[in-house]
Coordinates of all heavy atoms in Angstrom, one line a residue:
M1092 N 6.1 -5.8 -6.3 CA 7.4 -5.4 -5.9 C 7.8 -4.1 -6.7 O 8.4 -3.2 -6.1 CB 8.4 -6.5 -6.1 CG 9.8 -6.1 -5.5 SD 9.8 -5.8 -3.7 CE 9.6 -7.4 -3.1
Q1093 N 7.5 -4.1 -8.0 CA 7.8 -2.9 -8.8 C 7.1 -1.7 -8.3 O 7.7 -0.6 -8.3 CB 7.5 -3.2 -10.3 CG 8.4 -4.2 -10.9 CD 8.1 -4.4 -12.4 OE1 7.0 -4.1 -12.8 NE2 9.0 -5.0 -13.1
R1094 N 5.9 -1.8 -7.8 CA 5.1 -0.7 -7.3 C 5.8 -0.2 -6.0 O 5.9 1.0 -5.8 CB 3.7 -1.0 -7.0 CG 2.9 -1.0 -8.3 CD 1.4 -1.2 -8.0 NE 1.1 -2.5 -8.7 CZ 0.2 -3.4 -8.3 NH1 -0.5 -3.2 -7.2 NH2 0.0 -4.4 -9.0
R1095 N 6.2 -1.1 -5.1 CA 6.9 -0.7 -3.9 C 8.2 0.0 -4.2 O 8.5 1.0 -3.6 CB 7.2 -2.0 -3.0 CG 5.9 -2.6 -2.4 CD 6.2 -3.9 -1.8 NE 6.9 -3.8 -0.6 CZ 7.5 -4.8 0.1 NH1 7.4 -6.1 -0.4 NH2 8.1 -4.7 1.2
I1096 N 9.0 -0.5 -5.2 CA 10.2 0.2 -5.5 C 9.9 1.6 -6.2 O 10.7 2.5 -5.9 CB 11.1 -0.7 -6.4 CG1 11.5 -2.0 -5.7 CG2 12.3 0.0 -6.9 CD1 12.3 -1.7 -4.4
G1097 N 8.9 1.7 -6.9 CA 8.5 2.9 -7.5 C 8.1 3.9 -6.4 O 8.5 5.1 -6.5
K1098 N 7.4 3.5 -5.4 CA 7.0 4.3 -4.3 C 8.3 4.7 -3.5 O 8.4 5.9 -3.1 CB 6.0 3.6 -3.4 CG 5.6 4.4 -2.2 CD 4.7 5.6 -2.7 CE 4.2 6.3 -1.4 NZ 3.5 7.6 -1.8
A1099 N 9.2 3.8 -3.4 CA 10.5 4.1 -2.7 C 11.3 5.2 -3.4 O 11.8 6.1 -2.8 CB 11.4 2.8 -2.6
R1100 N 11.3 5.1 -4.7 CA 12.0 6.2 -5.5 C 11.4 7.5 -5.2 O 12.0 8.5 -5.0 CB 12.0 5.9 -7.0 CG 13.0 4.8 -7.4 CD 13.1 4.7 -8.9 NE 11.9 4.4 -9.6 CZ 11.5 3.2 -10.0 NH1 12.2 2.2 -9.7 NH2 10.3 3.1 -10.6
E1101 N 10.0 7.5 -5.2 CA 9.3 8.8 -4.9 C 9.6 9.3 -3.5 O 9.9 10.5 -3.4 CB 7.8 8.5 -5.1 CG 6.9 9.6 -4.8 CD 5.4 9.2 -4.9 OE1 5.1 8.4 -5.7 OE2 4.6 9.8 -4.1
L1102 N 9.6 8.5 -2.5 CA 9.9 8.9 -1.2 C 11.3 9.3 -1.0 O 11.6 10.3 -0.3 CB 9.6 7.8 -0.2 CG 8.1 7.4 -0.1 CD1 7.9 6.1 0.8 CD2 7.2 8.5 0.4
L1103 N 12.3 8.7 -1.6 CA 13.7 9.1 -1.6 C 13.9 10.4 -2.2 O 14.7 11.2 -1.7 CB 14.6 8.0 -2.2 CG 14.7 6.7 -1.5 CD1 15.4 5.6 -2.4 CD2 15.4 6.9 -0.2
R1104 N 13.2 10.7 -3.3 CA 13.3 12.0 -4.0 C 12.8 13.1 -3.1 O 13.2 14.3 -3.1 CB 12.5 12.0 -5.3 CG 13.2 11.4 -6.4 CD 12.4 11.6 -7.7 NE 12.9 10.7 -8.8 CZ 12.2 9.7 -9.2 NH1 11.0 9.5 -8.8 NH2 12.7 8.9 -10.2
Q1105 N 11.8 12.8 -2.2 CA 11.2 13.8 -1.3 C 12.1 14.0 -0.1 O 11.8 14.9 0.7 CB 9.8 13.3 -0.8 CG 8.8 13.3 -1.9 CD 7.5 12.7 -1.5 OE1 7.3 12.3 -0.3 NE2 6.6 12.5 -2.4
G1106 N 13.2 13.2 0.0 CA 14.1 13.4 1.1 C 13.9 12.5 2.3 O 14.6 12.7 3.4
M1107 N 13.1 11.6 2.3 CA 12.9 10.7 3.4 C 14.1 9.8 3.5 O 14.7 9.4 2.5 CB 11.6 9.8 3.1 CG 11.3 8.9 4.3 SD 9.8 7.9 4.0 CE 8.5 9.1 4.4
S1108 N 14.5 9.4 4.7 CA 15.7 8.6 5.0 C 15.5 7.2 4.5 O 14.3 6.7 4.4 CB 16.1 8.6 6.4 OG 15.2 7.8 7.2
I1109 N 16.5 6.5 4.2 CA 16.5 5.2 3.6 C 15.8 4.2 4.6 O 15.0 3.4 4.3 CB 17.9 4.7 3.3 CG1 18.5 5.6 2.1 CG2 17.9 3.2 2.8 CD1 19.9 5.4 1.9
S1110 N 16.1 4.4 5.9 CA 15.6 3.5 6.9 C 14.0 3.7 7.0 O 13.3 2.8 7.2 CB 16.3 3.6 8.2 OG 16.2 4.9 8.7
E1111 N 13.6 5.0 7.0 CA 12.2 5.3 7.0 C 11.4 4.7 5.8 O 10.3 4.2 6.0 CB 12.0 6.8 7.1 CG 12.4 7.4 8.4 CD 12.2 8.9 8.4 OE1 12.5 9.6 7.3 OE2 11.9 9.5 9.4
V1112 N 12.0 4.8 4.7 CA 11.4 4.3 3.4 C 11.3 2.8 3.6 O 10.2 2.2 3.3 CB 12.3 4.7 2.2 CG1 11.7 3.9 1.0 CG2 12.2 6.2 1.9
A1113 N 12.3 2.1 4.0 CA 12.3 0.7 4.1 C 11.2 0.2 5.1 O 10.4 -0.7 4.7 CB 13.7 0.2 4.7
L1114 N 11.1 0.9 6.2 CA 10.1 0.5 7.2 C 8.7 0.8 6.7 O 7.7 0.0 6.9 CB 10.3 1.1 8.5 CG 11.6 0.6 9.3 CD1 11.8 1.4 10.6 CD2 11.5 -0.9 9.5
S1115 N 8.5 2.0 6.1 CA 7.2 2.4 5.6 C 6.6 1.5 4.5 O 5.4 1.4 4.3 CB 7.2 3.9 5.2 OG 7.9 4.1 4.0
L1116 N 7.5 0.9 3.7 CA 7.1 0.1 2.6 C 7.0 -1.4 3.0 O 6.8 -2.3 2.1 CB 8.0 0.3 1.4 CG 7.9 1.7 0.8 CD1 8.9 1.9 -0.3 CD2 6.5 2.0 0.4
G1117 N 7.3 -1.7 4.2 CA 7.1 -3.1 4.7 C 8.3 -4.0 4.5 O 8.1 -5.2 4.6
F1118 N 9.5 -3.5 4.3 CA 10.7 -4.4 4.2 C 11.1 -4.8 5.6 O 10.9 -4.0 6.6 CB 11.8 -3.7 3.5 CG 11.6 -3.5 2.0 CD1 10.9 -2.4 1.5 CD2 11.9 -4.5 1.1 CE1 10.7 -2.3 0.1 CE2 11.7 -4.4 -0.3 CZ 11.0 -3.3 -0.8
A1119 N 11.7 -5.9 5.7 CA 12.1 -6.5 7.0 C 13.1 -5.6 7.7 O 13.1 -5.3 8.9 CB 12.6 -7.9 6.9
D1120 N 14.0 -5.1 6.9 CA 15.1 -4.2 7.4 C 15.7 -3.4 6.3 O 15.4 -3.6 5.1 CB 16.1 -4.9 8.2 CG 16.8 -6.0 7.4 OD1 16.8 -6.0 6.2 OD2 17.3 -7.0 8.1
Q1121 N 16.6 -2.5 6.6 CA 17.2 -1.6 5.6 C 18.1 -2.4 4.7 O 18.1 -2.1 3.5 CB 18.1 -0.5 6.3 CG 18.6 0.5 5.3 CD 19.4 1.6 6.1 OE1 19.1 1.8 7.2 NE2 20.3 2.2 5.4
A1122 N 18.7 -3.5 5.1 CA 19.6 -4.3 4.2 C 18.7 -5.0 3.2 O 19.1 -5.0 2.0 CB 20.3 -5.3 5.1
H1123 N 17.6 -5.5 3.6 CA 16.7 -6.2 2.6 C 16.2 -5.2 1.6 O 16.1 -5.4 0.4 CB 15.5 -6.8 3.4 CG 14.5 -7.5 2.5 ND1 13.2 -7.3 2.6 CD2 14.7 -8.4 1.4 CE1 12.6 -8.0 1.7 NE2 13.5 -8.7 1.0
F1124 N 15.8 -4.0 2.0 CA 15.4 -2.9 1.1 C 16.5 -2.5 0.2 O 16.2 -2.4 -1.1 CB 14.9 -1.7 1.9 CG 14.7 -0.5 1.1 CD1 13.7 -0.5 0.1 CD2 15.5 0.6 1.2 CE1 13.5 0.7 -0.7 CE2 15.3 1.8 0.4 CZ 14.3 1.8 -0.5
T1125 N 17.7 -2.3 0.7 CA 18.8 -1.9 -0.2 C 19.1 -2.9 -1.3 O 19.3 -2.6 -2.4 CB 20.1 -1.7 0.7 OG1 19.8 -0.6 1.6 CG2 21.3 -1.3 -0.1
K1126 N 19.1 -4.2 -0.9 CA 19.4 -5.3 -1.8 C 18.3 -5.3 -2.9 O 18.6 -5.4 -4.1 CB 19.4 -6.6 -1.1 CG 19.8 -7.8 -2.0 CD 19.9 -9.1 -1.1 CE 20.2 -10.2 -2.0 NZ 20.4 -11.5 -1.3
T1127 N 17.1 -5.2 -2.5 CA 15.9 -5.2 -3.5 C 16.0 -4.0 -4.4 O 15.8 -4.1 -5.6 CB 14.6 -5.3 -2.8 OG1 14.6 -6.5 -1.9 CG2 13.5 -5.4 -3.7
F1128 N 16.2 -2.8 -3.8 CA 16.3 -1.6 -4.6 C 17.4 -1.7 -5.6 O 17.2 -1.3 -6.8 CB 16.5 -0.4 -3.6 CG 16.4 0.9 -4.3 CD1 15.2 1.6 -4.3 CD2 17.5 1.5 -4.9 CE1 15.1 2.8 -4.9 CE2 17.4 2.8 -5.5 CZ 16.2 3.4 -5.5
N1129 N 18.5 -2.2 -5.2 CA 19.7 -2.3 -6.1 C 19.4 -3.3 -7.2 O 19.8 -3.0 -8.4 CB 20.9 -2.8 -5.3 CG 22.2 -2.7 -6.0 OD1 22.3 -2.0 -7.0 ND2 23.2 -3.4 -5.6
R1130 N 18.7 -4.3 -7.0 CA 18.3 -5.3 -8.0 C 17.4 -4.6 -9.1 O 17.6 -4.9 -10.3 CB 17.6 -6.5 -7.4 CG 17.4 -7.6 -8.4 CD 16.8 -8.8 -7.7 NE 15.5 -8.5 -7.2 CZ 15.0 -9.1 -6.1 NH1 15.6 -10.1 -5.5 NH2 13.8 -8.7 -5.7
F1131 N 16.5 -3.8 -8.7 CA 15.6 -3.2 -9.6 C 16.1 -1.9 -10.3 O 15.7 -1.6 -11.4 CB 14.3 -2.8 -8.9 CG 13.3 -3.9 -8.8 CD1 13.4 -4.8 -7.7 CD2 12.3 -4.2 -9.7 CE1 12.6 -5.9 -7.5 CE2 11.4 -5.2 -9.5 CZ 11.6 -6.1 -8.5
N1132 N 17.1 -1.2 -9.7 CA 17.5 0.1 -10.2 C 19.0 0.1 -10.5 O 19.5 1.1 -11.0 CB 17.3 1.2 -9.1 CG 15.8 1.3 -8.9 OD1 15.1 1.8 -9.8 ND2 15.3 0.9 -7.8
A1133 N 19.8 -1.0 -10.3 CA 21.2 -1.0 -10.6 C 22.0 0.0 -9.8 O 23.0 0.5 -10.3 CB 21.5 -1.0 -12.1
M1134 N 21.5 0.5 -8.7 CA 22.2 1.4 -7.8 C 21.6 1.3 -6.4 O 20.4 0.9 -6.2 CB 22.2 2.8 -8.3 CG 20.8 3.5 -8.3 SD 20.8 5.2 -8.8 CE 21.0 4.9 -10.6
T1135 N 22.3 1.7 -5.4 CA 21.8 1.7 -4.0 C 20.9 2.9 -3.8 O 21.0 3.8 -4.5 CB 23.0 1.7 -3.0 OG1 23.6 3.0 -3.2 CG2 23.9 0.5 -3.2
P1136 N 20.1 2.8 -2.8 CA 19.2 3.9 -2.5 C 20.0 5.2 -2.2 O 19.6 6.3 -2.5 CB 18.4 3.5 -1.2 CG 18.5 2.0 -1.3 CD 19.7 1.6 -1.9
G1137 N 21.1 5.1 -1.5 CA 22.0 6.2 -1.2 C 22.5 6.9 -2.4 O 22.5 8.1 -2.6
C1138 N 22.9 6.1 -3.4 CA 23.4 6.6 -4.7 C 22.3 7.3 -5.4 O 22.4 8.4 -6.0 CB 24.0 5.5 -5.5 SG 24.7 6.0 -7.0
F1139 N 21.1 6.7 -5.4 CA 19.9 7.3 -6.0 C 19.6 8.6 -5.4 O 19.3 9.6 -6.2 CB 18.7 6.3 -5.8 CG 17.5 6.8 -6.5 CD1 17.2 6.6 -7.8 CD2 16.5 7.5 -5.7 CE1 16.1 7.1 -8.4 CE2 15.3 7.9 -6.3 CZ 15.1 7.7 -7.6
Q1140 N 19.7 8.8 -4.1 CA 19.4 10.0 -3.5 C 20.4 11.1 -3.9 O 20.0 12.2 -4.2 CB 19.4 9.9 -1.9 CG 18.1 9.4 -1.4 CD 18.1 9.5 0.1 OE1 19.1 9.2 0.8 NE2 17.0 9.8 0.7
R1141 N 21.7 10.7 -3.9 CA 22.7 11.7 -4.3 C 22.5 12.2 -5.7 O 22.7 13.4 -6.0 CB 24.1 11.1 -4.1 CG 24.5 11.0 -2.7 CD 26.0 10.6 -2.5 NE 26.2 9.3 -3.0 CZ 26.1 8.2 -2.4 NH1 25.6 8.2 -1.1 NH2 26.4 7.0 -2.9
I1142 N 22.2 11.3 -6.6 CA 22.0 11.7 -8.0 C 20.8 12.6 -8.2 O 20.8 13.5 -9.1 CB 21.8 10.4 -8.9 CG1 23.2 9.7 -9.0 CG2 21.3 10.7 -10.3 CD1 23.1 8.3 -9.6
N1143 N 19.7 12.3 -7.5 CA 18.4 13.0 -7.7 C 18.3 14.3 -6.8 O 17.2 14.9 -6.8 CB 17.3 12.1 -7.4 CG 17.1 11.1 -8.5 OD1 16.7 11.5 -9.6 ND2 17.5 9.9 -8.3
F1144 N 19.4 14.8 -6.3 CA 19.4 16.1 -5.5 C 20.4 17.0 -6.1 O 21.2 16.8 -6.8 CB 19.6 15.9 -4.0 CG 18.4 15.4 -3.3 CD1 18.3 14.2 -2.8 CD2 17.3 16.2 -3.2 CE1 17.2 13.7 -2.1 CE2 16.2 15.8 -2.5 CZ 16.1 14.5 -2.0

């Protein structure tokens, strides 16, 4: 799971949309991805994107 979240961070930094990242990494849906991402990073994927641009 840590590798998947690490890859998610990389893809989000490249500008890929949250829904595309979720589907490309095999999450059931965007909500599942967001909840998991938040648990590992203490922020939502949207917040992560805003901070890293």
Side-chain angles (χ1 to χ4, degrees):
M1092 187 60 73
Q1093 288 178 344
R1094 281 186 241 148
R1095 287 169 76 190
I1096 296 300
K1098 182 67 174 174
R1100 285 192 301 266
E1101 179 183 323
L1102 294 173
L1103 289 169
R1104 281 189 197 109
Q1105 293 174 4
M1107 187 179 277
S1108 75
I1109 297 168
S1110 59
E1111 289 175 326
V1112 172
L1114 292 176
S1115 70
L1116 294 177
F1118 288 91
D1120 55 27
Q1121 185 175 338
H1123 179 228
F1124 168 64
T1125 298
K1126 183 177 179 179
T1127 305
F1128 189 92
N1129 192 15
R1130 189 176 61 206
F1131 279 84
N1132 296 289
M1134 68 178 76
T1135 64
C1138 183
F1139 180 84
Q1140 277 187 321
R1141 286 188 296 277
I1142 290 171
N1143 286 289
F1144 281 112

